[in-house]
Every structure is written in C-alpha cells, then in structure tokens.
Amino acid sequence: MARPRTFDETAVVAAARDRFWSSGYAGTGMSDLMDATGLSKASLYTIFGNKHALYMRAFADYCSGTLDAIEAELDVPDDEAAGRLCRLIERLADSPSGSGGEQPPPTACFLAKAPAELAAQDPEVAHAARQTYGRFEEILVRGVAAAQRAGAVPDSHDARSMARHVLVALRGIEALTSAGVEHTVVADAAASLIETVFRDAAPRNR
C-alpha cells in the first residue's frame, strides 16, 4: 500500500514558485528547491517529474491565481466598472511586483520575469504567457465594455483596443517599477493612463 502524502502540495508549489521567482529558472538548482520545499530530490521528481515540470506548474498556478483575483475584482455592476478599473491600475502601479502573491519577492512580476528569461528558448513558457495575456485582455475587455454600458467610457471607443492599451501600459508601468524608477514617475504614468482611457468620467466613478 502506498504511503499517504504528508505535505501540502499547494504550499510546496508556492515555495518553489517563490524560489524560481526570486532566483530565476537558471539560478535555481534542485538543492535550492529541496531547501525551499523541505522535500527530497526523489520526492520532487516523483511528484512533479523534473525541475522544468515543477517550474511550469508554479508558473501556471501563479498566472491563474493572479487572473482569478483580477477577474473577481472587476466582477461588479456596470456602474462600478470604471471605478474598479481605475483602482486596479492604481493598485498595480503601487505594487512592487505588479501583481499576485501574498508576500512576493522584490522583483518583477513572475508573469513578466518568466517570459523575459525563457520565452525565446522555451516554447512552453512562451505559450503559457501568451495564453495568460490573452485571458487578461478578455477580462479587461469585459471591464471596459461594462464601463461603456454605464456611460463612463464613450461608445465610439473600441472596447478591445482600449483594453489592449491598458494591458500594454500596465506592463510598461511594471517594467519601470522593476527597474527601480521613482514611484512619483510610475504614479504619474498610471494617472495619465486613467485620464487617457476614462477622460472626465473616471473621477466621477471612483
């Protein structure tokens, strides 16, 4: 009879995620993962297959968890959509890591860091990142469309184009934050984004 597992797999994946996040894929060895998770090399290989499989699991869990939280944050009545979008932009601009994680390492968002390190040579990472950004875009499209229905954003603006504008700007803001640019610069960029997207409607709905 197989011995029952005596560990929390979610906690193990989270610990591995934080180590990969802070040190990168190349900078994280199996000994580092053993230290982070408290599991032996044999256990890690038995449960997850190999280092790359554990990395992909950690990356997937991070991406889905982050977007689940953002989707829930924007799941509001139409008349609250513009205000929530504005607060989302401000929150992500204020975060030292962009998004996700209860106590993330002081580095770029894992969603930004993983593709930057691996996408050029790892099709699985590139595909996962594209899928995640695609879902993020759809969440933002729904939020902008809700704000349009409430009259906070002109109907003449294409909801998808505006969502893409927000998505690209948020990734740029995150890059500035990760590079250590002063918060006043990042906050100004976020305020400009809000003004550009929502015009005079944004202050009224916040």
Side-chain angles (χ1 to χ4, degrees):
M1 181 180 296
R3 295 174 60 186
R5 292 183 178 180
T6 58
F7 61 89
D8 183 340
E9 186 169 315
T10 299
V12 168
V13 173
R17 176 206 65 201
D18 287 348
R19 184 56 62 93
F20 283 129
W21 190 352
S22 63
S23 302
Y25 183 80
T28 302
M30 288 304 297
S31 60
D32 299 314
L33 294 171
M34 291 163 59
D35 290 341
T37 64
L39 296 179
S40 68
K41 182 184 294 186
S43 294
L44 289 172
Y45 276 116
T46 298
I47 298 161
F48 300 104
N50 54 38
K51 172 183 164 181
H52 186 266
L54 177 54
Y55 183 88
M56 293 307 303
R57 167 69 183 278
F59 184 48
D61 281 12
Y62 172 87
C63 292
S64 62
T66 296
L67 292 190
D68 285 349
I70 292 174
E71 189 167 32
E73 186 175 352
L74 297 182
D75 184 18
V76 294
D78 290 355
D79 62 353
E80 298 178 25
R84 284 296 181 93
L85 282 165
C86 292
R87 286 193 289 275
L88 173 68
I89 293 168
E90 292 171 337
R91 179 174 63 77
L92 296 184
D94 284 338
S95 171
S97 62
S99 56
E102 294 182 358
Q103 293 182 330
T107 57
C109 165
F110 197 20
L111 176 55
K113 187 171 185 177
E117 180 186 11
L118 296 174
Q121 67 266 21
D122 191 323
E124 286 188 62
V125 171
H127 176 74
R130 287 195 301 270
Q131 292 289 103
T132 301
Y133 282 126
R135 183 185 167 198
F136 198 174
E137 179 184 317
E138 294 302 326
I139 292 170
L140 292 173
V141 168
R142 291 195 295 272
V144 172
Q148 288 179 321
R149 289 193 296 271
V153 175
D155 289 338
S156 58
H157 292 23
D158 179 71
R160 186 166 300 278
S161 293
M162 295 182 69
R164 288 171 174 169
H165 180 186
V166 172
L167 179 59
V168 170
L170 285 175
R171 296 298 87 178
I173 287 171
E174 179 187 64
L176 294 177
T177 302
S178 300
V181 173
E182 291 185 7
H183 181 261
T184 54
V185 176
V186 177
D188 185 55
S192 179
L193 172 62
I194 290 171
E195 175 65 18
T196 299
V197 173
F198 298 102
R199 305 292 180 182
D200 295 333
R204 187 176 65 247
N205 285 278
R206 291 171 61 193

